[in-house]
Amino acid sequence: MMLNKPIRHLFTALLCLGTLYSSAQVSCDPVFPNPSDDVTIFYDATLGNAALVGVNPVFIHTGVITNLSTTPSDWKYVKTTWAVSNTASQMTNVSTNIWKKSININQFYGVPAGETILKLAFVFRNGTGSLVGRDADGGDMYYDVYPENGPMQTLFLSPTQSVFLKNIGEQIPVKAAASVSADLKLYDNGQQIATATGVELNSTLSVTTVGLHKIEVVATATNEADTASFIYLVPEVLPAQDPPTGTGPGITYLDNTSVRLSLYAPNKQIIYAIGDFNNWIPNPAYQLRKSLDGKTWWIDITGLTPGQPVRFQYLVDGTLKIADPLSTLVLDPWNDAFISPLTYPNMPLYPSGKTTGMVSLIETGQTPFNWTATNYVRPEKKDLVVYELLMRDFLARHDYPTLLDTLDYLEKMGINAIELMPVNEFDGNINWGYGPAYHKALDKYYGDPASFKTFIDECHHRNIAVILDVVFNHATGASPLAQLYWDSANNRPAADNPWLNPIAKHDFNVFNDFNHESVPTKVYVRNCLQYWLSEYKVDGFRFDLSKGFTQKNTLGNTGAWGAYDATRIAIIKDYTNTMWAVDPTAYSILEHFADNTEEKELAQFGTMIWGNMWGSYKDVALGFSSATAASLAGINYKQRTWTVPHLIGYMESHDENRIGFECKEFGNSAVADYNIKSLPVAMRRLELANALFYTIPGPKMLWQFGEMGYDFPINYCENGTVNPDCRTAPKPIRWDFLENPYRKRLQNMITALIQLRTNNPVFSTTDYQLSIGSGAVKSLRLNSPNMNVHVLTNVTTSNQNATANFQHTGTWFEYFTGATLEVTMTNMSIPLKRGEYRLYTDNFVALPDGITFTSSIEPTGNVSMMTVYPNPGTTEVYVDFSMDQQANIQMDMTDIAGRIIETRSFERVSGDQQVLWNIAALPSGCYFVTIRDANGQSVTRKLMKQ
């Protein structure tokens, strides 16, 4: 190394009062680099996860962390390309497993002037990138960069991490450095043990006493002083002792000032609790005691202040810091700063500078929540109408108080259950939630516990159930269950991990696969389920990828792992029985998609099964010959030979492309005056599909904004492009769709259907006949002593004569129009226009208040979706509109007095249109743009000229 100028930093990987700052496997010459320096970066492949031991050649992948990075891991100015071997990424071999790369920091990264480099960021790889050298915890590696002409720096070069020693008598080689020549003094718990003059101090510590040792090096130079420190521990030998009877895993509140912590961690050597109660410094008073079987560690923490939040972690074997796996709230150093105080008022602060990683939050003496919905009646399974939503894409504020404000809207629709996509702690903030880290902790991005309970309580006042989407198939690497037993070399759970499989045992897995045959996993899942049911009074769970609750390894046999699996069934029944022991009527809903014999057995047991019917209903809506061929029989639980209506059918969920988008992009446009790609016709096709959906007995689910014909694709990106990488990216929140008459009519129609089925028992009858297989006309009959229903639909794009099969002659009532039909013969012929649907009842049923429908099933008017922008405008504005069919149109611009400023005439084909209008010469003021078609239909929009 070059030592011809003062040492300025070597891998700041030391513990400063227990805080590990960076990676020991990376060092740098000069030791304290400035942004303008020529530096040589050294990588020791034997350290960290040691994934590149013996690999030759080795390549660097590097960027920087700057003052403009949004998170501590937000790399910028990456100058190397993954799996590309070139001069920028090639490293030079120094000796066995030691590699170097020489650069000038400013020149190599090209960071603009005015932006400050804080750290260099690295991972290392082989030529293809199949092997990656990372930190010991699987993370990226970082190296501090110091400002030009900064103050003197002092730190330890050795040891490079916290020192955990088992035996008295061991020795610790110590090397400390300063950035300028100084007087250096070494202290052990305040007692001076060595001195030196210059830029380096070398010494050896002898371990002689049990307990906590704080080692400091104090550097003093002219007008400058600096101190660096690390700690080491010599643990006491505590006799094994089982925790008191009744102690459960995780955090147990004993009284208003004390808690018991219990961590399942077999084969660990020593564990301390660190937190606000000991200033984050491990000491013998907070050493956990081991159970007699050596698997559980526990401690009682006393003297806490009632009502005062307390932050803590476990320090495992001297190096690993984790939050409790069964935390109910955690603090996140990377993402909490981006949560608005409107969303989570008075959120406790992360203990920055005192520790790293996720932190558990506890609070003794909390005031119990006042639950007031004492007369709540949970909807029966057969009657459920579930509204699935992702708060992030449903509400701009994405919090529980705002969601509570939407309950009037949902209740008016007739929704009696809300299914929330995961609200437990997941990686990041902007997320669907299917990357869970803490299954029992409420994610703060949507709000605080009190707001969530208030929302649930109000739902129950309205007899609306709240169902949580939970993800027990897997856990991310941020989960302490993964971190406790992690194979860094292979970047996966270790072979001895009690909860997680090193390699997934089934297809389609993501992240780290749970072993549900493991007793610790069962204990963990049961504890989480019991907590949400008792603490938050939720009504049940939708289990994501429940088919993954198996150890059957069928990788490579696509679909085979969906075959009947008795062990998986037993696991699911066990979890469901755990739920029912807390709440006997709680819903257990499975995203299963397995063999029908398995789904049938689970349905008969009492769980409910997701029934994906997207493909068939999409085909009906698109209006090609596939609409005639489409069979909707799968929506019928009897078709599956089930005897209980436990199939939750749906046309869309979070996982499917929106059928509104499918119509807009791919609908049948071959019929000139019936273009399904146009908005008015597309919305009517969605009405048709819904008429064949909600009328069929059995619980139903709809995805948020489906009632408005939401038509942004699932892969829509925030910049307006479409890319599979944007599948889980935020989507536009379009409550303004209700201002569009065609979308509002669809929402009215679905509201009317839901209210009809909710208020009339015939829609849960077991006596019904369906004719919903292939055919131009699809129909159904529902029979009961009090009312009969007959639904007729024409799914084609041409007129049809339908032969009805009414239950009896007499007067029937068409629900949407109120028109009467005198049935003189049960098999009478009824003409149906293209896409027309009719819903007949033999008792008159009024539409819900405020909802009316015209008698025409055909879209009315030719021009729709008119928008003028930018508005206000200055020089040019665009007029966008849609036409259902080719026609001559006239466009007028008038002033506020009605005087025509300009008139234009066009012949336009059907579809979306755009006209550019130059308004630069117009005086400032208010104008109106009107479009008229040959039939006299018109649409007008106001324009403000600046």
Side-chain angles (χ1 to χ4, degrees):
M1 291 186 180
M2 297 171 56
L3 296 177
N4 57 343
K5 58 180 178 177
I7 297 175
R8 290 189 301 188
H9 182 12
L10 181 66
F11 47 84
T12 43
L14 60 104
L15 257 187
C16 179
L17 295 183
T19 302
L20 188 65
Y21 283 105
S22 57
S23 306
Q25 57 267 34
V26 175
S27 59
C28 184
D29 181 18
V31 181
F32 297 86
N34 300 151
S36 62
D37 279 342
D38 295 320
V39 301
T40 300
I41 299 156
F42 293 87
Y43 167 60
D44 185 343
T46 65
L47 301 177
N49 68 352
L52 298 180
V53 170
V55 172
N56 190 344
V58 167
F59 299 87
I60 192 172
H61 186 65
T62 180
V64 293
I65 306 298
T66 77
N67 62 314
L68 299 183
S69 295
T70 57
T71 69
S73 58
D74 179 21
W75 287 32
K76 292 184 175 296
Y77 307 104
V78 177
K79 297 304 178 184
T80 50
T81 303
W82 197 257
V84 173
S85 303
N86 54 24
T87 302
S89 60
Q90 179 77 54
M91 299 192 77
T92 302
N93 186 238
V94 177
S95 60
T96 304
N97 292 314
I98 304 296
W99 298 83
K100 71 178 182 179
K101 176 73 177 178
S102 297
I103 62 172
N104 177 279
I105 294 177
N106 276 338
Q107 293 176 8
F108 185 78
Y109 295 103
V111 178
E115 189 169 354
T116 304
I117 301 174
L118 303 178
K119 295 177 184 291
L120 307 181
F122 312 99
V123 294
F124 301 87
R125 61 173 176 83
N126 64 354
T128 64
S130 60
L131 296 175
V132 184
R134 299 181 179 275
D135 208 345
D137 63 2
D140 301 339
M141 291 171 268
Y142 301 97
Y143 195 96
D144 291 341
V145 176
Y146 292 83
E148 306 280 354
N149 303 313
M152 178 177 67
Q153 300 290 333
T154 307
L155 38 92
F156 286 95
L157 310 182
S158 177
T160 59
Q161 57 185 355
S162 60
V163 180
F164 174 74
L165 298 173
K166 297 181 180 179
N167 301 308
I168 299 293
E170 295 193 33
Q171 294 186 326
I172 308 172
V174 173
K175 180 183 290 187
S179 59
V180 299
S181 182
D183 291 330
L184 302 172
K185 296 180 180 180
L186 187 68
Y187 295 89
D188 183 345
N189 282 345
Q191 181 178 354
Q192 182 176 311
I193 57 176
T195 63
T197 300
V199 295
E200 191 173 290
L201 179 150
N202 291 276
S203 184
T204 300
L205 296 175
S206 296
V207 177
T208 59
T209 58
V210 169
L212 175 72
H213 291 256
K214 180 181 179 181
I215 309 301
E216 296 176 289
V217 61
V218 179
T220 305
T222 304
N223 299 322
E224 285 190 292
D226 190 43
T227 300
S229 64
F230 71 89
I231 62 172
Y232 75 88
L233 283 164
V234 181
E236 295 187 46
V237 179
L238 299 179
Q241 179 183 341
D242 283 338
T245 302
T247 299
I251 302 162
T252 301
Y253 288 91
L254 301 177
D255 53 42
N256 284 344
T257 62
S258 59
V259 298
R260 178 170 298 138
L261 307 179
S262 177
L263 178 68
Y264 185 81
N267 302 319
K268 299 303 178 183
Q269 301 305 306
I270 193 73
I271 301 177
Y272 289 88
I274 58 174
D276 292 331
F277 39 75
N278 58 12
N279 199 29
W280 301 90
I281 302 174
N283 64 59
Y286 293 92
Q287 181 177 332
L288 275 67
R289 192 177 294 273
K290 184 163 51 176
S291 63
L292 293 176
D293 65 4
K295 297 180 179 180
T296 300
W297 300 77
W298 65 279
I299 188 174
D300 289 351
I301 307 293
T302 61
L304 304 177
T305 302
Q308 178 67 45
V310 175
R311 304 162 296 184
F312 83 93
Q313 290 174 312
Y314 298 114
L315 176 63
V316 182
D317 289 351
T319 56
L320 176 64
K321 295 177 182 179
I322 60 167
D324 192 294
L326 289 167
S327 299
T328 57
L329 278 173
V330 292
L331 300 180
D332 181 337
W334 304 286
N335 297 292
D336 285 358
F338 302 99
I339 298 176
S340 165
L342 291 174
T343 298
Y344 199 113
N346 304 312
M347 183 170 63
L349 296 177
Y350 184 85
S352 298
K354 296 182 177 181
T355 192
T356 57
M358 303 290 275
V359 168
S360 293
L361 195 68
I362 55 177
E363 182 179 338
T364 60
Q366 297 181 55
T367 302
F369 183 80
N370 181 28
W371 296 96
T372 60
T374 55
N375 296 321
Y376 169 55
V377 178
R378 181 172 291 152
E380 293 187 40
K381 296 174 184 177
K382 62 182 176 60
D383 298 327
L384 282 176
V385 181
V386 181
Y387 196 91
E388 186 194 14
L389 65 89
L390 171 61
M391 290 175 63
R392 183 201 71 188
D393 293 348
F394 191 60
L395 305 162
R397 279 265 302 266
H398 61 73
D399 58 24
Y400 298 114
T402 311
L403 185 60
L404 189 148
D405 290 341
T406 69
L407 289 182
D408 285 346
Y409 169 81
L410 295 173
E411 184 181 29
K412 183 177 179 181
M413 279 184 61
I415 299 300
N416 58 18
I418 297 171
E419 181 181 302
L420 298 174
M421 286 174 67
V423 299
N424 61 285
E425 184 69 29
F426 49 81
D427 287 2
N429 288 332
I430 311 300
N431 199 307
W432 272 9
Y434 294 111
Y438 294 82
H439 292 81
K440 190 176 174 180
L442 188 71
D443 195 292
K444 302 181 298 300
Y445 184 67
Y446 299 134
D448 61 16
S451 296
F452 189 33
K453 291 176 181 178
T454 299
F455 167 73
I456 294 171
D457 199 36
E458 180 57 29
C459 284
H460 288 174
H461 273 293
R462 301 167 185 247
N463 291 328
I464 296 174
V466 178
I467 300 166
L468 298 188
D469 194 342
V470 290
V471 188
F472 289 108
N473 175 74
H474 53 262
T476 68
S479 167
L481 303 182
Q483 294 176 12
L484 269 168
Y485 301 88
W486 188 254
D487 178 355
S488 296
N490 294 298
N491 198 34
R492 68 190 189 193
D496 62 344
N497 192 301
W499 304 277
L500 303 170
N501 292 310
I503 299 175
K505 294 294 187 178
H506 54 79
D507 298 336
F508 307 119
N509 192 72
V510 293
F511 300 109
N512 304 296
D513 179 36
F514 270 110
N515 174 4
H516 284 277
E517 293 184 15
S518 164
V519 172
T521 296
K522 294 177 188 290
V523 170
Y524 178 79
V525 174
R526 291 171 187 152
N527 186 281
C528 295
L529 297 175
Q530 291 164 340
Y531 173 76
W532 291 106
L533 289 168
S534 58
E535 180 67 19
Y536 287 97
K537 297 187 183 297
V538 300
D539 295 275
F541 306 97
R542 177 263 187 190
F543 290 92
D544 182 71
L545 197 57
S546 58
K547 188 166 55 176
F549 296 5
T550 180
Q551 289 294 98
K552 294 283 173 53
N553 192 334
T554 60
L555 293 175
N557 299 321
T558 304
W561 71 290
Y564 183 90
D565 185 343
T567 303
R568 176 170 54 206
I569 293 173
I571 290 168
I572 291 171
K573 288 182 177 180
D574 174 67
Y575 292 153
T576 302
N577 281 328
T578 297
M579 295 167 51
W580 289 342
V582 178
D583 187 336
T585 63
Y587 308 123
S588 176
I589 302 170
L590 309 178
E591 184 202 26
H592 212 56
F593 307 134
D595 186 90
N596 185 60
T597 57
E598 182 170 333
E599 292 197 345
K600 179 179 179 180
E601 181 175 341
L602 288 166
Q604 305 290 103
F605 174 71
T607 68
M608 305 174 75
I609 313 294
W610 258 26
N612 185 348
M613 291 298 298
W614 176 81
S616 296
Y617 280 95
K618 171 184 67 73
D619 286 345
V620 166
L622 292 182
F624 294 99
S625 58
S626 56
T628 300
S631 173
L632 306 177
I635 197 74
N636 178 18
Y637 70 93
K638 290 186 177 182
Q639 177 72 19
R640 304 184 183 212
T641 71
W642 303 4
T643 60
V644 288
H646 289 172
L647 178 70
I648 299 186
Y650 62 89
M651 294 190 290
E652 295 174 348
S653 75
H654 62 271
D655 271 331
E656 286 78 40
N657 227 335
R658 316 309 169 210
I659 297 181
F661 168 76
E662 294 284 330
C663 288
K664 180 173 71 174
E665 291 295 312
F666 309 114
N668 188 348
S669 58
V671 181
D673 59 348
Y674 192 75
N675 180 7
I676 295 178
K677 290 184 177 180
S678 69
L679 183 77
V681 182
M683 294 301 103
R684 292 298 177 88
R685 297 297 296 192
L686 292 178
E687 291 180 23
L688 169 70
N690 280 278
L692 288 164
F693 178 69
Y694 289 103
T695 52
I696 296 172
K700 299 291 183 287
M701 185 186 78
L702 71 156
W703 167 245
Q704 65 184 27
F705 298 138
E707 72 277 12
M708 306 177 197
Y710 192 84
D711 50 11
F712 287 87
I714 196 170
N715 294 330
Y716 183 86
C717 305
E718 291 182 272
N719 63 7
T721 62
V722 178
N723 189 305
D725 291 339
C726 296
R727 179 179 177 85
T728 62
K731 301 297 183 284
I733 300 170
R734 298 302 302 269
W735 286 97
D736 62 307
F737 276 176
L738 291 175
E739 300 171 10
N740 179 280
Y742 304 110
R743 298 181 188 274
K744 178 58 178 173
R745 177 189 159 98
L746 173 64
Q747 193 264 349
N748 281 343
M749 185 265 186
I750 292 174
T751 297
L753 277 173
I754 295 174
Q755 293 277 20
L756 178 68
R757 64 171 281 140
T758 300
N759 297 324
N760 293 277
V762 66
F763 289 92
S764 58
T765 183
T766 60
D767 181 9
Y768 59 88
Q769 297 81 41
L770 306 180
S771 180
I772 55 175
S774 60
V777 174
K778 302 184 192 296
S779 63
L780 60 96
R781 302 193 322 167
L782 309 179
N783 314 303
S784 76
N786 298 319
M787 188 168 74
N788 296 292
V789 175
H790 192 51
V791 177
L792 288 170
T793 65
N794 172 13
V795 302
T796 72
T797 57
S798 59
N799 297 337
Q800 302 286 331
N801 286 317
T803 300
N805 189 17
F806 287 102
Q807 290 90 325
H808 58 79
T809 59
T811 303
W812 288 72
F813 304 88
E814 207 288 313
Y815 175 58
F816 295 104
T817 63
T820 59
L821 177 67
E822 294 301 326
V823 176
T824 57
M825 51 189 303
T826 56
N827 62 344
M828 65 185 296
S829 178
I830 296 179
L832 295 176
K833 296 179 181 179
R834 52 198 175 183
E836 186 175 3
Y837 57 88
R838 296 187 188 179
L839 194 164
Y840 291 105
T841 61
D842 58 2
N843 291 337
F844 176 76
V845 181
L847 290 170
D849 291 343
I851 293 180
T852 59
F853 290 88
T854 62
S855 59
S856 173
I857 300 298
E858 292 285 319
T860 58
N862 189 27
V863 177
S864 63
M865 292 295 290
M866 180 179 171
T867 304
V868 180
Y869 67 95
N871 197 356
T874 54
T875 57
E876 293 180 333
V877 295
Y878 292 94
V879 181
D880 287 1
F881 56 98
S882 180
M883 294 181 58
D884 301 340
Q885 53 189 304
Q886 181 174 336
N888 292 317
I889 63 168
Q890 177 178 306
M891 183 180 296
D892 296 330
M893 180 177 289
T894 58
D895 63 15
I896 197 168
R899 293 184 293 265
I900 295 178
I901 305 299
E902 185 177 347
T903 294
R904 299 182 182 184
S905 297
F906 307 93
E907 181 178 3
R908 292 276 172 153
V909 298
S910 62
D912 295 333
Q913 316 289 325
Q914 185 175 81
V915 174
L916 177 64
W917 210 314
N918 191 310
I919 61 170
L922 291 179
S924 298
C926 179
Y927 299 87
F928 297 91
V929 179
T930 300
I931 300 176
R932 292 182 176 83
D933 65 16
N935 297 321
Q937 298 285 342
S938 66
V939 183
T940 300
R941 294 290 183 267
K942 182 169 68 174
L943 166 65
M944 297 301 298
K945 167 63 165 61
Q946 288 183 330

